[in-house]
PDB file of all heavy atoms in Angstrom:
ATOM      1  N   VAL A  40      49.578 -46.042 -39.457  1.00 91.00           N
ATOM      2  CA  VAL A  40      50.336 -46.779 -40.464  1.00 91.00           C
ATOM      3  C   VAL A  40      51.098 -45.796 -41.351  1.00 91.00           C
ATOM      4  O   VAL A  40      52.272 -46.004 -41.671  1.00 91.00           O
ATOM      5  CB  VAL A  40      49.416 -47.689 -41.297  1.00 91.00           C
ATOM      6  CG1 VAL A  40      50.186 -48.383 -42.402  1.00 91.00           C
ATOM      7  CG2 VAL A  40      48.745 -48.719 -40.392  1.00 91.00           C
ATOM      8  N   SER A  41      50.460 -44.705 -41.706  1.00 89.00           N
ATOM      9  CA  SER A  41      51.101 -43.693 -42.538  1.00 89.00           C
ATOM     10  C   SER A  41      52.327 -43.098 -41.853  1.00 89.00           C
ATOM     11  O   SER A  41      53.369 -42.906 -42.484  1.00 89.00           O
ATOM     12  CB  SER A  41      50.097 -42.590 -42.877  1.00 89.00           C
ATOM     13  OG  SER A  41      50.697 -41.590 -43.642  1.00 89.00           O
ATOM     14  N   SER A  42      52.213 -42.820 -40.567  1.00 90.00           N
ATOM     15  CA  SER A  42      53.343 -42.266 -39.814  1.00 90.00           C
ATOM     16  C   SER A  42      54.502 -43.255 -39.734  1.00 90.00           C
ATOM     17  O   SER A  42      55.662 -42.871 -39.893  1.00 90.00           O
ATOM     18  CB  SER A  42      52.916 -41.873 -38.400  1.00 90.00           C
ATOM     19  OG  SER A  42      52.037 -40.791 -38.442  1.00 90.00           O
ATOM     20  N   MET A  43      54.189 -44.519 -39.482  1.00 90.00           N
ATOM     21  CA  MET A  43      55.238 -45.535 -39.428  1.00 90.00           C
ATOM     22  C   MET A  43      55.971 -45.589 -40.764  1.00 90.00           C
ATOM     23  O   MET A  43      57.197 -45.641 -40.809  1.00 90.00           O
ATOM     24  CB  MET A  43      54.665 -46.920 -39.109  1.00 90.00           C
ATOM     25  CG  MET A  43      54.230 -47.099 -37.679  1.00 90.00           C
ATOM     26  SD  MET A  43      53.832 -48.816 -37.247  1.00 90.00           S
ATOM     27  CE  MET A  43      52.465 -49.194 -38.331  1.00 90.00           C
ATOM     28  N   ARG A  44      55.205 -45.566 -41.843  1.00 90.00           N
ATOM     29  CA  ARG A  44      55.787 -45.646 -43.185  1.00 90.00           C
ATOM     30  C   ARG A  44      56.598 -44.388 -43.494  1.00 90.00           C
ATOM     31  O   ARG A  44      57.732 -44.470 -43.963  1.00 90.00           O
ATOM     32  CB  ARG A  44      54.674 -45.815 -44.213  1.00 90.00           C
ATOM     33  CG  ARG A  44      55.144 -45.888 -45.640  1.00 90.00           C
ATOM     34  CD  ARG A  44      53.988 -46.157 -46.578  1.00 90.00           C
ATOM     35  NE  ARG A  44      52.876 -45.260 -46.407  1.00 90.00           N
ATOM     36  CZ  ARG A  44      52.667 -44.170 -47.150  1.00 90.00           C
ATOM     37  NH1 ARG A  44      53.488 -43.846 -48.113  1.00 90.00           N
ATOM     38  NH2 ARG A  44      51.615 -43.416 -46.935  1.00 90.00           N
ATOM     39  N   GLN A  45      56.028 -43.232 -43.210  1.00 89.00           N
ATOM     40  CA  GLN A  45      56.691 -41.961 -43.510  1.00 89.00           C
ATOM     41  C   GLN A  45      58.030 -41.822 -42.798  1.00 89.00           C
ATOM     42  O   GLN A  45      59.007 -41.368 -43.378  1.00 89.00           O
ATOM     43  CB  GLN A  45      55.781 -40.799 -43.139  1.00 89.00           C
ATOM     44  CG  GLN A  45      56.381 -39.447 -43.435  1.00 89.00           C
ATOM     45  CD  GLN A  45      55.440 -38.314 -43.041  1.00 89.00           C
ATOM     46  OE1 GLN A  45      54.354 -38.532 -42.539  1.00 89.00           O
ATOM     47  NE2 GLN A  45      55.876 -37.103 -43.269  1.00 89.00           N
ATOM     48  N   PHE A  46      58.067 -42.231 -41.540  1.00 89.00           N
ATOM     49  CA  PHE A  46      59.289 -42.086 -40.757  1.00 89.00           C
ATOM     50  C   PHE A  46      60.179 -43.326 -40.805  1.00 89.00           C
ATOM     51  O   PHE A  46      61.247 -43.357 -40.203  1.00 89.00           O
ATOM     52  CB  PHE A  46      58.954 -41.728 -39.308  1.00 89.00           C
ATOM     53  CG  PHE A  46      58.300 -40.376 -39.195  1.00 89.00           C
ATOM     54  CD1 PHE A  46      56.968 -40.271 -38.869  1.00 89.00           C
ATOM     55  CD2 PHE A  46      59.023 -39.224 -39.464  1.00 89.00           C
ATOM     56  CE1 PHE A  46      56.352 -39.030 -38.788  1.00 89.00           C
ATOM     57  CE2 PHE A  46      58.427 -37.977 -39.386  1.00 89.00           C
ATOM     58  CZ  PHE A  46      57.084 -37.886 -39.050  1.00 89.00           C
ATOM     59  N   GLY A  47      59.733 -44.356 -41.520  1.00 87.00           N
ATOM     60  CA  GLY A  47      60.542 -45.569 -41.666  1.00 87.00           C
ATOM     61  C   GLY A  47      60.646 -46.372 -40.389  1.00 87.00           C
ATOM     62  O   GLY A  47      61.590 -47.119 -40.194  1.00 87.00           O
ATOM     63  N   THR A  48      59.648 -46.226 -39.527  1.00 87.00           N
ATOM     64  CA  THR A  48      59.653 -46.939 -38.251  1.00 87.00           C
ATOM     65  C   THR A  48      59.221 -48.381 -38.455  1.00 87.00           C
ATOM     66  O   THR A  48      58.198 -48.642 -39.074  1.00 87.00           O
ATOM     67  CB  THR A  48      58.671 -46.268 -37.264  1.00 87.00           C
ATOM     68  OG1 THR A  48      58.986 -44.889 -37.187  1.00 87.00           O
ATOM     69  CG2 THR A  48      58.739 -46.905 -35.896  1.00 87.00           C
ATOM     70  N   GLU A  49      60.005 -49.301 -37.934  1.00 83.00           N
ATOM     71  CA  GLU A  49      59.587 -50.698 -37.986  1.00 83.00           C
ATOM     72  C   GLU A  49      58.528 -50.915 -36.913  1.00 83.00           C
ATOM     73  O   GLU A  49      58.671 -50.459 -35.781  1.00 83.00           O
ATOM     74  CB  GLU A  49      60.774 -51.620 -37.752  1.00 83.00           C
ATOM     75  CG  GLU A  49      61.733 -51.618 -38.923  1.00 83.00           C
ATOM     76  CD  GLU A  49      62.816 -52.658 -38.789  1.00 83.00           C
ATOM     77  OE1 GLU A  49      62.545 -53.735 -38.237  1.00 83.00           O
ATOM     78  OE2 GLU A  49      63.927 -52.368 -39.226  1.00 83.00           O
ATOM     79  N   PRO A  50      57.460 -51.613 -37.257  1.00 87.00           N
ATOM     80  CA  PRO A  50      56.394 -51.832 -36.282  1.00 87.00           C
ATOM     81  C   PRO A  50      56.797 -52.843 -35.216  1.00 87.00           C
ATOM     82  O   PRO A  50      57.740 -53.605 -35.389  1.00 87.00           O
ATOM     83  CB  PRO A  50      55.246 -52.378 -37.136  1.00 87.00           C
ATOM     84  CG  PRO A  50      55.914 -52.995 -38.304  1.00 87.00           C
ATOM     85  CD  PRO A  50      57.157 -52.189 -38.550  1.00 87.00           C
ATOM     86  N   ARG A  51      56.054 -52.821 -34.126  1.00 90.00           N
ATOM     87  CA  ARG A  51      56.223 -53.873 -33.110  1.00 90.00           C
ATOM     88  C   ARG A  51      55.949 -55.206 -33.781  1.00 90.00           C
ATOM     89  O   ARG A  51      55.289 -55.283 -34.814  1.00 90.00           O
ATOM     90  CB  ARG A  51      55.212 -53.694 -31.981  1.00 90.00           C
ATOM     91  CG  ARG A  51      55.440 -52.495 -31.161  1.00 90.00           C
ATOM     92  CD  ARG A  51      54.424 -52.498 -30.014  1.00 90.00           C
ATOM     93  NE  ARG A  51      54.160 -51.127 -29.671  1.00 90.00           N
ATOM     94  CZ  ARG A  51      52.977 -50.617 -29.425  1.00 90.00           C
ATOM     95  NH1 ARG A  51      51.906 -51.383 -29.459  1.00 90.00           N
ATOM     96  NH2 ARG A  51      52.842 -49.355 -29.141  1.00 90.00           N
ATOM     97  N   ILE A  52      56.426 -56.267 -33.172  1.00 91.00           N
ATOM     98  CA  ILE A  52      56.251 -57.603 -33.746  1.00 91.00           C
ATOM     99  C   ILE A  52      54.773 -57.896 -33.998  1.00 91.00           C
ATOM    100  O   ILE A  52      54.407 -58.373 -35.081  1.00 91.00           O
ATOM    101  CB  ILE A  52      56.885 -58.686 -32.847  1.00 91.00           C
ATOM    102  CG1 ILE A  52      58.398 -58.508 -32.851  1.00 91.00           C
ATOM    103  CG2 ILE A  52      56.498 -60.084 -33.319  1.00 91.00           C
ATOM    104  CD1 ILE A  52      59.122 -59.388 -31.863  1.00 91.00           C
ATOM    105  N   SER A  53      53.928 -57.581 -33.031  1.00 93.00           N
ATOM    106  CA  SER A  53      52.495 -57.863 -33.205  1.00 93.00           C
ATOM    107  C   SER A  53      51.917 -57.080 -34.381  1.00 93.00           C
ATOM    108  O   SER A  53      51.108 -57.608 -35.151  1.00 93.00           O
ATOM    109  CB  SER A  53      51.727 -57.554 -31.921  1.00 93.00           C
ATOM    110  OG  SER A  53      51.893 -56.181 -31.560  1.00 93.00           O
ATOM    111  N   ASP A  54      52.331 -55.831 -34.539  1.00 93.00           N
ATOM    112  CA  ASP A  54      51.850 -55.033 -35.670  1.00 93.00           C
ATOM    113  C   ASP A  54      52.460 -55.514 -36.983  1.00 93.00           C
ATOM    114  O   ASP A  54      51.814 -55.459 -38.024  1.00 93.00           O
ATOM    115  CB  ASP A  54      52.154 -53.551 -35.462  1.00 93.00           C
ATOM    116  CG  ASP A  54      51.270 -52.915 -34.400  1.00 93.00           C
ATOM    117  OD1 ASP A  54      50.185 -53.471 -34.118  1.00 93.00           O
ATOM    118  OD2 ASP A  54      51.667 -51.874 -33.851  1.00 93.00           O
ATOM    119  N   GLY A  55      53.695 -55.980 -36.935  1.00 92.00           N
ATOM    120  CA  GLY A  55      54.321 -56.535 -38.131  1.00 92.00           C
ATOM    121  C   GLY A  55      53.582 -57.766 -38.627  1.00 92.00           C
ATOM    122  O   GLY A  55      53.393 -57.947 -39.832  1.00 92.00           O
ATOM    123  N   ILE A  56      53.136 -58.586 -37.686  1.00 95.00           N
ATOM    124  CA  ILE A  56      52.358 -59.775 -38.037  1.00 95.00           C
ATOM    125  C   ILE A  56      51.022 -59.367 -38.645  1.00 95.00           C
ATOM    126  O   ILE A  56      50.593 -59.906 -39.665  1.00 95.00           O
ATOM    127  CB  ILE A  56      52.168 -60.690 -36.812  1.00 95.00           C
ATOM    128  CG1 ILE A  56      53.520 -61.293 -36.405  1.00 95.00           C
ATOM    129  CG2 ILE A  56      51.135 -61.780 -37.086  1.00 95.00           C
ATOM    130  CD1 ILE A  56      53.517 -61.980 -35.060  1.00 95.00           C
ATOM    131  N   ARG A  57      50.375 -58.390 -38.029  1.00 95.00           N
ATOM    132  CA  ARG A  57      49.097 -57.902 -38.571  1.00 95.00           C
ATOM    133  C   ARG A  57      49.287 -57.281 -39.959  1.00 95.00           C
ATOM    134  O   ARG A  57      48.451 -57.456 -40.843  1.00 95.00           O
ATOM    135  CB  ARG A  57      48.476 -56.878 -37.627  1.00 95.00           C
ATOM    136  CG  ARG A  57      47.908 -57.474 -36.370  1.00 95.00           C
ATOM    137  CD  ARG A  57      47.192 -56.413 -35.549  1.00 95.00           C
ATOM    138  NE  ARG A  57      46.825 -56.938 -34.270  1.00 95.00           N
ATOM    139  CZ  ARG A  57      47.386 -56.579 -33.119  1.00 95.00           C
ATOM    140  NH1 ARG A  57      48.322 -55.671 -33.090  1.00 95.00           N
ATOM    141  NH2 ARG A  57      46.998 -57.118 -31.987  1.00 95.00           N
ATOM    142  N   LEU A  58      50.377 -56.560 -40.127  1.00 95.00           N
ATOM    143  CA  LEU A  58      50.677 -55.941 -41.415  1.00 95.00           C
ATOM    144  C   LEU A  58      50.890 -57.010 -42.488  1.00 95.00           C
ATOM    145  O   LEU A  58      50.339 -56.929 -43.588  1.00 95.00           O
ATOM    146  CB  LEU A  58      51.909 -55.040 -41.290  1.00 95.00           C
ATOM    147  CG  LEU A  58      52.393 -54.313 -42.530  1.00 95.00           C
ATOM    148  CD1 LEU A  58      51.304 -53.449 -43.134  1.00 95.00           C
ATOM    149  CD2 LEU A  58      53.603 -53.455 -42.186  1.00 95.00           C
ATOM    150  N   ALA A  59      51.670 -58.018 -42.151  1.00 96.00           N
ATOM    151  CA  ALA A  59      51.901 -59.117 -43.088  1.00 96.00           C
ATOM    152  C   ALA A  59      50.589 -59.827 -43.423  1.00 96.00           C
ATOM    153  O   ALA A  59      50.330 -60.144 -44.595  1.00 96.00           O
ATOM    154  CB  ALA A  59      52.912 -60.099 -42.508  1.00 96.00           C
ATOM    155  N   ASP A  60      49.764 -60.056 -42.415  1.00 96.00           N
ATOM    156  CA  ASP A  60      48.460 -60.695 -42.648  1.00 96.00           C
ATOM    157  C   ASP A  60      47.600 -59.842 -43.585  1.00 96.00           C
ATOM    158  O   ASP A  60      46.937 -60.367 -44.472  1.00 96.00           O
ATOM    159  CB  ASP A  60      47.715 -60.928 -41.337  1.00 96.00           C
ATOM    160  CG  ASP A  60      48.296 -62.065 -40.513  1.00 96.00           C
ATOM    161  OD1 ASP A  60      49.113 -62.851 -41.052  1.00 96.00           O
ATOM    162  OD2 ASP A  60      47.948 -62.154 -39.321  1.00 96.00           O
TER     163      ASP A  60
END
Side-chain angles (χ1 to χ4, degrees):
V40 176
S41 178
S42 292
M43 287 190 298
R44 179 176 52 97
Q45 181 180 1
F46 295 109
T48 307
E49 289 188 34
R51 292 184 210 137
I52 293 172
S53 59
D54 287 339
I56 292 168
R57 287 186 188 110
L58 179 57
D60 286 346

